Amino acid sequence: MRLLLQKVSCLLIACPTLVMGQTKQGNYETLPLKDLSSFEKHTPNWTIAGAVSMHPFTASKPKFQPGAGILVGTQGAALTSKLNVSDLRMQIEFMVSPGASGFLILPGGQKILISDSYRHAQLDASTSGYLNQFPKQNAAKAPGLWQKLEFAYDAAVPNLPHSARLNTLNLNDVNILESIYFETQKSFEGPQPLGLEVTKGTIAFRNIGYHLLQDRKPLAINHLKYKVYSDSWDSKTYNTL
C-alpha cells in the first residue's frame, strides 16, 4: 500500500496539473477576470483562460482551456489595472513556467519579483519575492504549482517625505520581508494603478484580491486609569499591584 501511494504521488508531481479559475478570497475585494476589461490598454501577450496547465520540469508550451478566472501573460508589455490604489493589502496567486520571471508593480513603481527560483541554493536578486532587498528565505514552489503572494504596503509614509514602506510580504504563507522602507523620487501624489509584467516565460495569475487602506485612523484608548510603580516598589506584596 505504501509503495502504491509513493507511485501515485510521483505521478501527480510529474504530470502537468490542470487548474481552474478563481475563488472567493476572504475579506479581499476581487479584481474581476471575466475578460481584460479590468485593465487599461492591453497587448496580445495577455489573455484570459478558464484553466491552465504547465509542466513542472520542461519548458513545453503551457496548455489552456477557454473560460474565465485566470490571467495569463507572456514576455512583453506590462499590464496596468484600471483600479487605482495607494496604501493596500493584497493577495494574488500565480503559477510560473520553468525559468519564468516577472513583476508585480506597486503604486510608486516598486517591483516585487515573481520567478522560478525553486531550485536556487542562494538568495539573490533572482529569488522570488525580491524587492530591492533579498528575501529572508526562498519560499518558492516548483513551476506548475499555484503559489500565493500576500503583502501590506504603504505608498506614502506619514511625516517621511519621498518614501514608501512594505510592512509585510508573505510567499506561500512564509514571511520573507517586513518593515522595508524605500526612497522614492518624489512624494506620492495620489492613487495609481497596479501593474503586472512578464519578462521571461509564462506566468498565470488568479484570485487577485485587494483591501484598500484609505482614511485609516489610529486606535484610541479612552478613560484609562493607571499607576506607575518605582523600582523600589510601592508595595511589598505582588497581589496589590
Side-chain angles (χ1 to χ4, degrees):
M1 182 66 179
R2 183 178 179 182
L3 181 60
L4 176 61
L5 290 174
Q6 289 177 339
K7 289 182 177 179
V8 171
S9 299
C10 292
L11 180 63
L12 290 173
I13 294 174
C15 293
T17 303
L18 185 68
V19 187
M20 308 304 288
Q22 63 193 87
T23 56
K24 184 174 176 58
Q25 292 298 297
N27 64 342
Y28 290 99
E29 294 290 334
T30 302
L31 194 69
L33 294 178
K34 293 182 179 179
D35 50 34
L36 292 172
S37 61
S38 296
F39 303 93
E40 297 291 352
K41 182 179 178 181
H42 46 82
T43 51
N45 59 308
W46 293 97
T47 188
I48 295 290
V52 59
S53 63
M54 300 182 187
H55 199 284
F57 306 127
T58 62
S60 57
K61 187 176 180 179
K63 298 179 180 179
F64 310 108
Q65 286 188 6
I70 298 177
L71 174 66
V72 183
T74 56
Q75 183 176 350
L79 189 67
T80 57
S81 67
K82 291 181 179 179
L83 172 72
N84 289 323
V85 300
S86 50
D87 300 348
L88 80 159
R89 290 173 56 242
M90 185 172 180
Q91 177 177 292
I92 184 170
E93 295 180 13
F94 66 92
M95 178 193 295
V96 298
S97 64
S101 62
F103 296 99
L104 172 60
I105 307 171
L106 304 176
Q110 308 297 336
K111 293 183 177 183
I112 300 176
L113 177 67
I114 295 172
S115 70
D116 171 21
S117 60
Y118 175 64
R119 297 181 183 274
H120 290 191
Q122 295 182 336
L123 300 175
D124 56 26
S126 63
T127 304
S128 200
Y130 174 79
L131 179 54
N132 293 342
Q133 293 197 30
F134 298 164
K136 292 186 291 188
Q137 60 179 297
N138 184 3
K141 292 182 180 180
L145 296 177
W146 283 108
Q147 307 186 53
K148 183 175 70 174
L149 189 71
E150 188 171 14
F151 64 88
Y153 175 75
D154 294 335
V157 182
N159 304 316
L160 193 60
H162 309 295
S163 63
R165 177 176 58 210
L166 177 74
N167 297 302
T168 58
L169 176 62
N170 295 338
L171 177 59
N172 298 320
D173 296 320
V174 177
N175 181 272
I176 58 174
L177 282 175
E178 60 183 346
S179 300
I180 307 297
Y181 286 79
F182 307 98
E183 184 177 356
T184 57
Q185 294 182 352
K186 59 181 180 179
S187 294
F188 192 70
E189 298 179 350
Q192 298 177 8
L194 294 163
L196 293 169
E197 182 181 13
V198 179
T199 56
K200 185 179 179 181
T202 302
I203 304 181
F205 302 91
R206 71 176 185 182
N207 296 329
I208 303 177
Y210 61 92
H211 181 193
L212 303 183
L213 303 177
Q214 298 174 344
D215 301 323
R216 289 179 293 172
K217 295 181 179 180
L219 177 67
I221 301 178
N222 299 317
H223 309 297
L224 179 67
K225 295 181 179 180
Y226 63 92
K227 183 176 180 180
V228 178
Y229 293 87
S230 67
D231 291 340
S232 59
W233 299 104
D234 294 317
S235 174
K236 294 183 179 181
T237 57
Y238 292 113
N239 59 1
T240 61
L241 295 178

